[in-house]
Amino acid sequence: MTLEHYNPKDIEEKWYEFWEKRGYFTANNKSKKKPFVIMMPPPNITGALHQGHALTSTIQDVLIRWKRMAGFNTLWLPGSDHAGIATQTVVEKALLKEGITRHAFGREKFIERVWQWREQYGRTIIMQIKRFGSSCDWTREHFTMDETLSHAVREVFVRLYQEKLIYRGDYLINWCPRCESALSDLEVKQVEKPGKIWHLKYPLEDGSGTIIVATTRPETMLGDTAVAVHPKDPRYKSWVGKYVCLPLTTRKIPIIADLYADPKFGSGAVKITPGHDFNDFEVGKRHQLEVISIFDKNAKTNEKAFPYQGLDRFAARKKVLADLIAQGVIEKEEDYTVLLGHCEKCDTVLEPHLSTQWFVKTRPLAKPAIEAVRKGNVKIIPSGWAKTYFNWMENIKDWCISRQIWWGHRIPAWYCKHCQHITVSVKDPTQCQKCKSTDISQDTDVLDTWFSSALWPFSTLGWPQKTADLKVFYPSTVMETGFDILFFWVARMMMMGIHFMKKPPFKYVYLHAMVRDTEGKKMSKSKGNVIDPLDTIAEYGADALRFTLAALATQGRDVKLSEDRIEGYRNFINKIWNATRFALMNVEPDFKLEKNLPKHLSPVHAWILSQFFLTVKKTNDHLERYELNEAANTVYHFTWHEFCDWYVEFIKPLLKDPSQKKEAQQILIFVLKELLKLLHPFIPFVTEELGHHLPIHEEESIMMASYPKFNKKYIHPKATKEIEMLKEIISYIRNVRGEHTVSPSKLISATLVSKDTKVLEILKRNEVALQTLAKLSELHFSEKAMEAKNMAVGALGFLDVFIPITDLVDVEEEKKRLQKELEKINTDLVGLQTRLSNEAFIERAPKDIVQKERDRLSDLQSKKQKLEQNLQKLFH
Ligand SMILES: [Zn+2]
Ligand SMILES: [Zn+2]
């Protein structure tokens, strides 16, 4: 069988189809094998995939293919996420290009449009995932808004509502005036900006004095409902309970005592604006203060801000400030750095906003999720992230789950116009649960996108039905995802999984790092440093990209991707390809691999088997610990530096020797076959292709073969010692040749000297290998030390290597060169000696110059001596 040159384009797509058609990716819920399950983090349908997706797909596919070959019942469940606000924003933008706003379009038509988008991009994403070689079970593919998952979402909502873990409440929330939607704390980008702080004077109602309060947002004073002081602050003790007149308004507000006021900050008194500040909102709740909102949903002042209504928030600030200055309320103004929340999606400055929202009560859910990690039932890798996890979970706030957008799971709550009762139901109700009125309408909000993805590990298996899949494949084994969504997603899956399934949704959380450019910068279109995965695959093949990503995926460290690395690993794959070509050229068409390897193996074969099975052990151990980079580098080293560089070279003469040939063929094909299996999870396409060319027919596909397992019976320390000795000698002779730039075609002679007769015996046995690999015309063995004259001598510890200088250099040429050099030194010496014997020079010249000349003299003298010695050797 002939093998053409390696061209990934010719092989990759063909094999994916082959695997998929044969159903190799499909999991079996009737299998008795131990399950190994990965739930693919569903990519957003917002657009094309990037290198981060290539990385996550590679890591997951390596693990899945490895476990599948190792005899597990593997399931890798794929899917995609509807990505609420993100998708709505991109579709809105696309519509705007056509000159249409979503409001003009209407809710129904808009949603239809998003579904069209999802059709198109959903297909692109699947095509890309397949192009990476991902062996996921497409028969179990899910979308967060498909029927099964939408049903699970409703079921969870209703159950949590009934358990009072979902509630509706008036809350101050992060609000984006542009998106007109609530944002969870996690969706807020905090940015420090230079600003100002103003100190305002509020007069006491009884005229007994003024109280100074400081604010970075003077316009919000229109919504002040109290001034707070620390209960133990002696300055204000007698003032608590009094009232101040709120400037610019006719309102009087109380002075209250609350621990929130910091006596060390400013005057120690602080204005309380529950409608526009999160801390003030809490203070307000403690003191039953009125909550005044002065802005509408677009952050324009409303009637509560009279006479400043109808202004944009920034214009309102100017006007209020001008009036405060005019009325002498401002005591002073200072520069101040303010922390401003921005919308993660559109970068608008957020406004705390009072509105009625739906919340998940998280504390009772977080408790067992913290326990699960503390007790080690769920392990987070790298372990450093566990601390971050605890810190966040222990300080968790209630989760605002309603979003004022259209794309997503609509909240299953219906309001009765008649009696105001809220009917929460899995099935769309036709009437009010309480008064039976049919005048009901569904909540217009949708759920936070992470609500449905939090259910992913069980909703995708058919929950709430008690399916066979759920029984076999829950919990999954490892959740492999980016560290950036540890809280958005992983923590919430933990809470929901434990609550509804009574078991954490996975055993391991493996958090991968970011893919960056060579300088460690984030890849972005504006920086022009993006390496698109599909471009990479078109140029170097998916296998090369996969191997690169695996080799660079060090736990907890960013992946610095460069074209050079990918090219390097493409060359590595090419090396394997060529090794296979070599093997195929050296076996007959009717070659058959024996069931059992020959009993008494020559050392070189015993050695390669040893090396291979030690590599097998290391690779498996690293994969077991999720050290993919170590695993990849281990197989890489063996393949390139042991198998290709040494073994193939060692056996070349054996394959020509009729008495050695059969054994060499057997071991060569055996190791190659097993090596391709070992490499398969990393580079599935090329190993499948090469596997089909090998004259063995174990399985119809390498991906269904057994993964190599360590076996002690293949370990031969004696043979290993012997071959390592040969490698050392050959490497030394190659180095000497290199140093003297001896042409590769020129043969030289060498004598190996050792007092140890056993060593010499071993070496004599391997005479042919030594001669061939070191390119020797003559090889002598001696027990007696030789004279070093005319010799290059290398001491290797267990023996000395002698190589005649005449073999390394052309004697006549060398003589001429040395003589010429000697002449030049002699001329220089004469000049220097003359100068140094000149007394006038010695007296007048600076001392350091004289010293320098003297140093040069002794330098030249010793050089002369060496040259003369070398010349003498050549004339011997
Ligand atoms: Zn926004
Ligand atoms: Zn009713």
Side-chain angles (χ1 to χ4, degrees):
M1 238 183 299
T2 53
L3 198 52
E4 298 297 314
H5 288 282
Y6 174 51
N7 185 0
K9 270 196 202 109
D10 301 341
I11 58 168
E12 297 192 343
E13 274 171 63
K14 146 183 111 179
W15 288 121
Y16 196 89
E17 231 184 276
F18 172 87
W19 297 324
E20 205 187 350
K21 267 200 188 136
R22 284 164 196 244
Y24 293 159
F25 304 160
T26 312
N28 176 1
N29 61 26
K30 291 186 187 72
S31 165
K32 290 276 177 290
K33 293 177 186 172
K34 209 176 161 204
F36 181 89
V37 183
I38 299 180
M39 296 289 172
M40 178 188 289
N44 290 348
I45 53 160
T46 38
L49 302 185
H50 50 70
Q51 291 291 5
H53 295 109
L55 173 68
T56 194
S57 289
T58 298
I59 295 173
Q60 291 171 51
D61 197 43
V62 168
L63 295 172
I64 279 285
R65 284 182 185 269
W66 164 57
K67 285 291 183 184
R68 189 184 288 119
M69 291 175 79
F72 285 73
N73 180 21
T74 51
L75 165 62
W76 184 15
L77 190 142
S80 51
D81 195 296
H82 69 281
I85 294 183
T87 308
Q88 172 155 333
T89 311
V90 288
V91 177
E92 253 185 286
K93 274 187 192 155
L95 265 181
L96 273 178
K97 276 189 191 149
E98 298 167 29
I100 316 166
T101 68
R102 87 176 145 103
H103 292 284
F105 224 51
R107 186 165 187 150
E108 249 172 65
K109 263 175 98 183
F110 180 78
I111 288 175
E112 229 174 80
R113 189 63 182 256
V114 188
W115 276 105
Q116 282 169 17
W117 168 281
R118 119 101 195 155
E119 278 308 307
Q120 187 191 338
Y121 282 90
R123 262 203 306 275
T124 312
I125 287 169
I126 289 173
M127 183 273 288
Q128 286 181 306
I129 295 175
K130 289 183 172 180
R131 204 56 200 83
F132 297 151
S134 312
S135 61
C136 39
D137 184 351
W138 294 108
T139 68
R140 286 177 166 84
E141 186 200 348
H142 276 292
F143 176 52
T144 46
M145 278 196 21
D146 66 24
E147 216 174 299
T148 331
L149 270 61
S150 298
H151 178 70
V153 163
R154 279 202 173 186
E155 188 72 35
V156 163
F157 188 96
V158 171
R159 288 197 199 179
L160 289 176
Y161 181 74
Q162 284 162 354
E163 293 169 52
K164 301 208 169 1
L165 289 171
I166 278 184
Y167 65 93
R168 207 168 171 247
D170 276 346
Y171 261 82
L172 207 57
I173 44 139
N174 285 299
W175 179 266
C176 175
R178 198 218 63 93
C179 297
E180 290 187 21
S181 183
L183 299 176
S184 82
D185 290 348
L186 291 174
E187 291 162 321
V188 177
K189 224 171 42 188
Q190 297 290 354
V191 185
E192 272 194 1
K193 288 209 168 141
K196 284 194 169 19
I197 189 161
W198 290 272
H199 299 257
L200 313 179
K201 290 185 284 192
Y202 286 3
L204 266 75
E205 187 199 19
D206 60 10
S208 60
T210 52
I211 196 159
I212 309 285
V213 291
T215 181
T216 56
R217 298 197 57 191
E219 69 282 9
T220 62
M221 57 87 55
L222 297 170
D224 284 1
T225 51
V227 170
V229 294
H230 194 277
K232 286 195 178 141
D233 194 333
R235 291 171 289 183
Y236 302 116
K237 237 177 181 166
S238 61
W239 290 14
V240 174
K242 286 185 174 182
Y243 282 80
V244 296
C245 298
L246 188 64
L248 308 186
T249 73
T250 53
R251 288 194 290 121
K252 292 179 177 51
I253 56 174
I255 298 172
I256 57 166
D258 194 280
L259 295 173
Y260 171 64
D262 179 2
K264 288 188 205 98
F265 184 78
S267 68
V270 53
K271 74 197 234 346
I272 301 296
T273 324
H276 296 286
D277 182 278
F278 293 100
N279 291 315
D280 293 7
F281 183 77
E282 297 298 323
V283 177
K285 270 205 290 185
R286 287 199 283 273
H287 298 269
Q288 282 97 41
L289 298 176
E290 191 190 347
V291 181
I292 298 176
S293 276
I294 62 158
F295 296 125
D296 67 9
K297 61 184 172 115
N298 301 114
K300 277 198 175 133
T301 44
N302 60 20
E303 73 287 349
K304 294 272 174 60
F306 180 80
Y308 301 92
Q309 78 263 43
L311 296 173
D312 173 80
R313 51 186 159 161
F314 303 107
R317 175 175 307 174
K318 272 192 193 155
K319 202 138 185 243
V320 166
L321 261 181
D323 288 355
L324 287 173
I325 291 166
Q327 296 185 17
V329 178
I330 308 265
E331 195 223 19
K332 64 176 171 179
E333 176 189 306
E334 289 168 329
D335 287 333
Y336 194 77
T337 307
V338 288
L339 197 61
L340 287 178
H342 285 66
C343 174
E344 197 198 35
K345 297 273 146 36
C346 77
D347 223 28
T348 302
V349 176
L350 297 176
E351 197 57 57
H353 186 71
L354 186 72
S355 67
T356 309
Q357 302 285 343
W358 290 92
F359 291 86
V360 172
K361 197 184 254 178
T362 42
R363 285 206 170 258
L365 297 170
K367 221 179 141 216
I370 295 169
E371 283 291 281
V373 178
R374 274 222 201 284
K375 283 189 181 149
N377 298 336
V378 176
K379 288 191 183 73
I380 300 179
I381 303 165
S383 57
W385 283 107
K387 212 176 142 197
T388 322
Y389 172 84
F390 292 136
N391 196 14
W392 190 75
M393 290 293 265
E394 277 155 7
N395 295 296
I396 197 165
K397 284 190 190 139
D398 282 358
W399 174 16
C400 175
I401 49 168
S402 41
R403 294 290 182 277
Q404 291 64 48
I405 55 168
W406 290 346
W407 176 242
H409 300 98
R410 201 156 160 185
I411 291 175
W414 285 260
Y415 304 100
C416 176
K417 295 230 171 73
H418 195 71
C419 78
Q420 270 73 51
H421 177 77
I422 303 172
T423 307
V424 170
S425 162
V426 172
K427 282 203 179 115
D428 287 12
T430 51
Q431 55 182 22
C432 170
Q433 225 168 24
K434 202 173 169 193
C435 75
K436 309 288 176 216
S437 161
T438 53
D439 199 3
I440 54 169
S441 58
Q442 191 178 359
D443 196 311
T444 53
D445 289 357
V446 300
L447 288 165
D448 178 11
T449 245
W450 298 101
F451 193 86
S452 54
S453 33
L455 320 179
W456 188 250
F458 55 94
S459 62
T460 51
L461 298 174
W463 187 91
Q465 255 69 53
K466 290 192 173 82
T467 60
D469 268 13
L470 203 58
K471 213 176 147 199
V472 177
F473 300 122
Y474 188 95
S476 59
T477 316
V478 54
M479 172 45 66
E480 195 283 339
T481 189
F483 65 85
D484 51 330
I485 52 176
L486 177 60
F487 305 131
F488 277 113
W489 195 38
V490 178
R492 285 160 178 174
M493 280 190 285
M494 292 277 290
M495 294 193 280
M496 294 295 197
I498 295 173
H499 190 72
F500 287 98
M501 298 296 299
K502 309 293 165 225
K503 262 186 215 165
F506 24 73
K507 296 180 191 97
Y508 294 91
V509 176
Y510 176 84
L511 300 170
H512 65 248
M514 294 286 144
V515 180
R516 297 178 185 272
D517 71 4
T518 26
E519 281 152 41
K521 289 197 190 108
K522 209 175 160 181
M523 288 190 187
S524 75
K525 272 186 195 153
S526 57
K527 282 193 206 115
N529 61 350
V530 173
I531 309 177
D532 182 85
L534 286 190
D535 293 348
T536 312
I537 290 173
E539 181 150 8
Y540 303 101
D543 281 331
L545 176 61
R546 288 171 63 112
F547 203 90
T548 309
L549 291 168
L552 295 178
T554 310
Q555 278 180 18
R557 225 183 288 157
D558 284 336
V559 173
K560 290 185 185 166
L561 193 63
S562 71
E563 296 242 0
D564 288 352
R565 295 300 287 256
I566 304 166
E567 200 182 337
Y569 287 114
R570 203 265 323 272
N571 296 343
F572 166 66
I573 296 170
N574 205 33
K575 191 105 182 156
I576 304 161
W577 186 277
N578 289 338
T580 311
R581 284 184 62 170
F582 166 81
L584 293 175
M585 284 188 291
N586 283 285
V587 294
E588 296 76 22
D590 61 345
F591 171 86
K592 268 198 191 69
L593 189 64
E594 308 281 339
K595 234 181 164 176
N596 295 309
L597 296 179
K599 271 235 169 73
H600 299 288
L601 290 167
S602 316
V604 69
H605 302 311
W607 161 77
I608 197 67
L609 285 172
S610 275
Q611 296 304 99
F612 177 73
F613 280 95
L614 288 173
T615 305
V616 165
K617 184 175 189 315
K618 268 172 123 184
T619 308
N620 278 306
D621 287 352
H622 285 308
L623 286 174
E624 222 43 91
R625 293 194 293 265
Y626 297 95
E627 295 161 350
L628 269 80
N629 61 315
E630 299 284 355
N633 293 327
T634 303
V635 263
Y636 177 92
H637 176 81
F638 172 82
T639 309
W640 193 303
H641 300 301
E642 303 289 357
F643 186 73
C644 295
D645 280 355
W646 286 106
Y647 182 67
V648 167
E649 294 304 316
F650 272 128
I651 64 168
K652 275 179 184 168
L654 307 183
L655 288 163
K656 287 180 192 131
D657 178 345
S659 71
Q660 305 269 356
K661 186 176 171 180
K662 191 165 176 264
E663 185 191 18
Q665 287 175 330
Q666 288 290 322
I667 305 300
L668 171 64
I669 297 294
F670 174 80
V671 174
L672 186 58
K673 171 194 77 145
E674 292 300 311
L675 176 60
L676 291 177
K677 287 184 198 169
L678 194 68
L679 284 161
H680 178 77
F682 302 95
I683 45 174
F685 297 108
V686 70
T687 48
E688 182 74 58
E689 174 74 20
L690 295 175
H692 283 267
H693 284 274
L694 288 187
I696 44 149
H697 306 282
E698 287 183 344
E699 301 274 350
E700 57 185 7
S701 164
I702 192 170
M703 76 168 278
M704 303 310 277
S706 307
Y707 202 65
K709 261 200 261 171
F710 177 68
N711 191 336
K712 231 172 84 184
K713 79 170 184 193
Y714 293 114
I715 304 303
H716 302 279
K718 240 175 112 183
T720 303
K721 211 176 151 198
E722 179 167 337
I723 300 302
E724 291 304 329
M725 206 148 76
L726 298 186
K727 280 168 68 183
E728 212 178 315
I729 298 167
I730 295 161
S731 298
Y732 169 74
I733 298 174
R734 283 177 178 173
N735 276 345
V736 173
R737 294 179 65 113
E739 273 168 26
H740 292 85
T741 54
V742 177
S743 139
S745 59
K746 191 184 168 189
L747 299 180
I748 60 174
S749 58
T751 305
L752 306 179
V753 179
S754 172
K755 278 181 193 143
D756 190 335
T757 46
K758 272 185 196 149
V759 167
L760 288 184
E761 256 169 57
I762 292 170
L763 297 176
K764 275 179 197 163
R765 272 212 304 266
N766 291 287
E767 201 176 346
V768 180
L770 285 166
Q771 282 195 322
T772 317
L773 270 71
K775 299 210 159 116
L776 302 175
S777 52
E778 280 173 66
L779 178 59
H780 305 285
F781 303 92
S782 168
E783 275 174 60
K784 277 183 208 135
M786 291 179 67
E787 229 190 298
K789 220 171 187 182
N790 294 345
M791 291 284 178
V793 188
L796 301 184
F798 59 97
L799 94 169
D800 295 330
V801 184
F802 289 79
I803 301 168
I805 302 267
T806 47
D807 275 19
L808 301 172
V809 293
D810 183 317
V811 178
E812 287 314 310
E813 283 292 313
E814 189 68 2
K815 267 188 202 165
K816 272 188 214 156
R817 192 181 66 81
L818 291 178
Q819 270 164 341
K820 225 171 154 188
E821 209 174 317
L822 194 61
E823 272 165 35
K824 194 179 172 288
I825 285 181
N826 279 333
T827 325
D828 287 354
L829 272 176
V830 172
L832 206 56
Q833 274 162 339
T834 320
R835 186 132 39 129
L836 284 171
S837 56
N838 179 348
E839 273 172 36
F841 168 74
I842 303 285
E843 259 170 44
R844 258 178 282 147
K847 269 192 182 156
D848 57 326
I849 298 265
V850 177
Q851 191 52 47
K852 250 188 204 162
E853 294 293 77
R854 285 198 170 126
D855 290 348
R856 244 187 90 203
L857 179 72
S858 72
D859 215 37
L860 283 174
Q861 277 166 339
S862 70
K863 259 190 195 162
K864 184 184 168 184
Q865 211 180 347
K866 255 190 200 151
L867 278 172
E868 280 168 348
Q869 274 173 7
N870 285 347
L871 262 169
Q872 218 179 353
K873 270 189 184 179
L874 293 180
F875 281 112
H876 180 72

